[in-house]
Amino acid sequence: MSSTMQRITLARRPSGQPVPEDFALQSAPIPSPGEGEVLIAVSHLSLDPYMRGRMDDVKSYAPSVGIGETMTGQGVGRVIASKADGFAEGDLVTGITGWASHAVLPGSELRKLPDGLQPSLALGVLGMPGFTAWVGLRKYADLKAGETLAVAAATGPVGSMVGQIAKAAGLRTIAIAGGDEKTKLATNHFGFDAAIDHRAHADARALRAALVEQAPDGVDVYWENVGGKVLEAVLPLMNVHGRIPLCGTISWYSGLDGDGTDRLPMLWRSVLVKRLRISGLIVFDHWDLFDEFLADIGPKVMAGKIAYLEDVAQGLEAAPEAFIGMLQGKNRGKQVVAI
Amino acid sequence: MSSTMQRITLARRPSGQPVPEDFALQSAPIPSPGEGEVLIAVSHLSLDPYMRGRMDDVKSYAPSVGIGETMTGQGVGRVIASKADGFAEGDLVTGITGWASHAVLPGSELRKLPDGLQPSLALGVLGMPGFTAWVGLRKYADLKAGETLAVAAATGPVGSMVGQIAKAAGLRTIAIAGGDEKTKLATNHFGFDAAIDHRAHADARALRAALVEQAPDGVDVYWENVGGKVLEAVLPLMNVHGRIPLCGTISWYSGLDGDGTDRLPMLWRSVLVKRLRISGLIVFDHWDLFDEFLADIGPKVMAGKIAYLEDVAQGLEAAPEAFIGMLQGKNRGKQVVAI
């Protein structure tokens, strides 16, 4: 085993969309685990939109990454040295390893995975994104058969699970995705009832017209991943007593469109007139339900009843470009990095 | 009894703030009740902010008032002729009489009131505004002792009831109101723990600074009556898992401020980061709980344990100016018209 590890640090804070120069690849000696700790050789790293928020120096639900610090993120890998009870060399584990080839973490912050599991699944369909969809729908969506659900970023790991769970609950499911390839994926691979290419519609009004065709009875549940144009298109189509689980606002992560219109009054009025319920969702609040999620969804994944899709970048050094591409919607499915 | 009645109609749709010329006072023969109907001599009429929305020709939860039609609204009065089972001459009743001295309504759309009740109370503390506060807190606010609640338009009939119910539930209650007289009313008459004069603070930032002093632990429940500057001031102070029952947006009823900033992304991000819950509230959805409300609050009002305040305009012809003044915050307490 090599005695040096690699990690990717935040070189500087991005202005708007991140660029490769905002990151730095560094080498360092592999650390040794202290008492109660475990050394992991990371095999797969998860890239997720929330990481963009951590690159800014603003108060949020989690601390931002400091300049020169390793980028944060969930990884999965094998234990190569353990001083923690319950963990042995060779165990497959997952935890917040950061963007790094190796990590030392307390055993208390690691989760052991079944040995036969394809490791990267623990980062996607059976990891945080899949769980986010499952717990958010359960707590905030109040799904009813015969209703209509719309979700953007619909071929991503959260959106695709949202669609499949809602479809199984008897809802009509409308995917919103960017480009022809993704809309085909949405219906053919993930089983959405309909898919709309937001890139084919120049503004919110045009996108709304396309939505009306696919959701003639209006929208009862809008799963919010993106904000921006899609939100503006969907909002007037919301039915009375509609629900909006708010999971992400990726279209606004790197600055605003800013055409001089304040859309807050329009939203506020819609919420009132339609008696909408909007619920902010952060998956970290809900870990107590994670085992129940695994027990529900795990067997369905193993039985091939849940579709998923991974986009695997090769090598830790490929992580920044893969991350930048993901924020621009270039990935196909859950973005991971094989290290 | 005179054989003519008076009513106030919508003469034209207002542009921005309504003006007297948007209304017309008209005389008409008093109609006779048909089978199942009741003729009422209206003694008091309620003026409420939601009526501003009905003057616009936009799709809403209720139809707009047509040009030449009687302005809509709740009234209370005595039955002077009845062809409906269960109603007799002299009964005190309430219903949607409109802005009129007399009204014919089906018995099924009227509610009989206890004979000893001061009639105007059925329009305020024991009517729609009081019920709105009671049912909205119960369904959407999840009040917990020790938390902090803020409400604007705090000396109005909804806000003052919100404050009193929350205070009784053990919350710290912060009133936001316009002007020195109203802030004194809020603390001295309605029992708020603190009151802030939004007119004394030029912008959202200044108002927020005043709020921070009075809500050092943040805000857990923001009862939304107004939108605008107050919303912008409160939002960053919301605590994690805060709740926002959205009952009105009066500051935006007559057009927008429009400084070129889109505040929707800021709101959306707050909802996500703080995991807020926003719930649109229209009282008409909840009439099934009205009797429970009366049973709870009625005795407390009779026993003097709930404070209320009425601003009584004299004569139907005074209704337009009283309504316009109310939208500008000139009223002191629940605005009614004695006919």
Side-chain angles (χ1 to χ4, degrees):
Chain A
M1 144 183 146
S2 152
S3 63
T4 63
M5 61 171 282
Q6 293 196 301
R7 63 192 189 110
I8 289 177
T9 61
L10 180 63
R12 64 181 190 194
R13 304 215 175 271
S15 140
Q17 287 285 1
V19 294
E21 293 71 27
D22 297 333
F23 304 89
L25 179 67
Q26 300 192 334
S27 293
I30 293 179
S32 299
E35 210 49 53
E37 291 182 332
V38 170
L39 172 63
I40 304 145
V42 180
S43 69
H44 295 84
L45 169 67
S46 177
L47 297 182
D48 301 278
Y50 76 83
M51 296 166 174
R52 174 62 188 83
R54 303 289 175 86
M55 298 173 77
D56 289 334
D57 189 19
V58 296
K59 196 184 161 193
S60 183
Y61 54 89
S64 57
V65 176
I67 302 295
E69 287 181 8
T70 303
M71 283 290 296
T72 190
Q74 188 185 0
V76 59
R78 297 275 171 192
V79 172
I80 53 176
S82 173
K83 289 190 176 174
D85 288 345
F87 293 91
E89 211 180 305
D91 282 352
L92 187 66
V93 295
T94 184
I96 305 302
T97 61
W99 296 20
S101 65
H102 297 75
V104 165
L105 285 168
S108 59
E109 293 179 14
L110 288 173
R111 178 177 288 272
K112 235 158 122 172
L113 298 169
D115 210 52
L117 187 72
Q118 181 187 323
S120 59
L121 294 192
L123 304 177
V125 67
L126 291 178
M128 204 161 65
F131 178 52
T132 299
W134 183 89
V135 80
L137 289 177
R138 175 171 163 155
K139 289 227 154 181
Y140 304 124
D142 195 16
L143 299 178
K144 295 186 192 80
E147 290 189 336
T148 298
L149 171 142
V151 57
T155 60
V158 176
S160 59
M161 183 68 96
V162 164
Q164 292 179 82
I165 292 173
K167 175 85 179 166
L171 283 82
R172 176 169 171 80
T173 53
I174 316 286
I176 300 159
D180 195 45
E181 187 188 344
K182 284 189 178 175
T183 55
K184 286 202 174 78
L185 260 179
T187 50
N188 299 345
H189 186 67
F190 290 118
F192 280 90
D193 291 304
I196 296 167
D197 177 5
H198 64 77
R199 293 188 184 157
H201 303 282
D203 57 16
R205 185 181 295 263
L207 181 58
R208 188 179 307 138
L211 264 164
V212 166
E213 280 185 42
Q214 297 300 338
D217 299 328
V219 174
D220 301 287
V221 179
Y222 171 53
W223 179 284
E224 177 62 296
N225 279 330
V226 297
K229 181 172 83 171
V230 177
L231 171 61
E232 197 176 344
V234 172
L235 204 55
L237 307 182
M238 290 299 294
N239 288 329
V240 165
H241 300 303
R243 287 82 68 197
I244 303 182
L246 204 175
C247 174
T249 65
I250 189 172
S251 81
W252 286 321
Y253 279 9
S254 294
L256 312 178
D257 309 320
D259 63 357
T261 304
D262 187 358
R263 292 171 175 81
L264 181 52
M266 176 272 297
L267 171 86
W268 228 225
R269 184 166 168 76
S270 293
V271 172
L272 177 61
V273 169
K274 307 281 188 68
R275 295 84 106 188
L276 305 181
R277 190 177 71 213
I278 301 171
S279 307
L281 162 65
I282 302 275
V283 71
F284 306 114
D285 290 334
H286 304 286
W287 288 126
D288 56 312
L289 293 171
F290 190 78
D291 289 338
E292 199 178 325
F293 157 72
L294 279 185
D296 180 17
I297 300 295
K300 289 174 182 151
V301 169
M302 301 308 175
K305 290 177 182 162
I306 299 266
Y308 60 89
L309 189 68
E310 295 184 332
D311 195 329
V312 185
Q314 296 298 329
L316 183 63
E317 65 281 6
E321 287 224 46
F323 178 68
I324 292 164
M326 181 192 66
L327 289 178
Q328 295 166 356
K330 290 184 181 162
N331 56 312
R332 299 286 172 274
K334 168 61 192 167
Q335 183 69 59
V336 299
V337 179
I339 295 172
Chain B
M1 145 181 143
S2 153
S3 63
T4 61
M5 60 171 281
Q6 293 196 302
R7 62 192 188 111
I8 289 177
T9 61
L10 180 64
R12 64 180 191 193
R13 303 213 177 276
S15 140
Q17 287 283 2
V19 295
E21 293 73 24
D22 298 331
F23 304 88
L25 180 66
Q26 301 192 334
S27 292
I30 292 179
S32 300
E35 210 48 52
E37 292 184 331
V38 170
L39 173 62
I40 305 145
V42 180
S43 69
H44 294 84
L45 169 68
S46 176
L47 297 181
D48 302 279
Y50 77 84
M51 296 166 174
R52 173 65 189 84
R54 303 289 176 87
M55 299 174 78
D56 289 333
D57 188 18
V58 294
K59 197 184 159 193
S60 185
Y61 53 91
S64 56
V65 176
I67 302 296
E69 287 180 9
T70 303
M71 283 290 296
T72 190
Q74 187 186 1
V76 61
R78 297 273 171 194
V79 173
I80 53 177
S82 174
K83 290 190 176 173
D85 288 346
F87 293 92
E89 210 180 305
D91 281 352
L92 187 65
V93 296
T94 184
I96 306 302
T97 61
W99 295 22
S101 64
H102 296 74
V104 166
L105 284 170
S108 58
E109 294 179 13
L110 288 173
R111 175 178 291 271
K112 236 160 120 172
L113 297 169
D115 211 53
L117 187 72
Q118 180 188 322
S120 59
L121 293 192
L123 304 176
V125 67
L126 292 177
M128 204 160 63
F131 179 51
T132 299
W134 183 89
V135 80
L137 289 177
R138 174 171 163 153
K139 289 224 153 184
Y140 304 124
D142 194 16
L143 299 178
K144 295 187 191 80
E147 289 188 335
T148 298
L149 172 141
V151 58
T155 60
V158 176
S160 59
M161 183 68 95
V162 164
Q164 291 178 83
I165 293 173
K167 176 87 180 167
L171 283 83
R172 174 168 174 81
T173 54
I174 316 287
I176 300 158
D180 195 44
E181 187 187 344
K182 286 189 178 176
T183 55
K184 285 202 174 77
L185 261 179
T187 49
N188 298 346
H189 186 66
F190 291 117
F192 280 90
D193 292 303
I196 296 167
D197 177 4
H198 65 76
R199 292 187 184 158
H201 303 282
D203 58 16
R205 185 181 297 264
L207 181 56
R208 188 178 307 137
L211 264 164
V212 167
E213 279 184 43
Q214 297 300 338
D217 299 328
V219 174
D220 300 287
V221 179
Y222 170 54
W223 179 283
E224 177 62 296
N225 279 329
V226 298
K229 181 173 84 171
V230 177
L231 170 60
E232 197 177 344
V234 172
L235 204 54
L237 306 182
M238 291 299 294
N239 287 329
V240 165
H241 301 302
R243 287 83 65 196
I244 303 182
L246 202 173
C247 173
T249 64
I250 190 171
S251 80
W252 286 322
Y253 279 9
S254 296
L256 311 179
D257 308 321
D259 63 356
T261 304
D262 187 359
R263 293 174 173 80
L264 181 51
M266 175 273 296
L267 171 84
W268 229 224
R269 185 169 166 77
S270 293
V271 173
L272 177 61
V273 169
K274 306 281 188 67
R275 293 85 104 186
L276 305 180
R277 188 176 72 214
I278 301 171
S279 306
L281 163 65
I282 302 276
V283 71
F284 305 114
D285 291 334
H286 305 286
W287 287 126
D288 57 311
L289 292 171
F290 190 77
D291 288 339
E292 198 178 326
F293 157 71
L294 280 186
D296 180 17
I297 300 296
K300 290 174 183 152
V301 170
M302 304 305 176
K305 290 177 183 162
I306 299 266
Y308 59 89
L309 190 67
E310 294 184 334
D311 194 330
V312 185
Q314 296 297 330
L316 184 63
E317 65 281 5
E321 288 224 46
F323 178 67
I324 292 164
M326 181 192 65
L327 290 178
Q328 295 166 357
K330 289 184 180 163
N331 57 312
R332 299 287 171 273
K334 167 65 193 161
Q335 182 69 58
V336 298
V337 179
I339 296 173

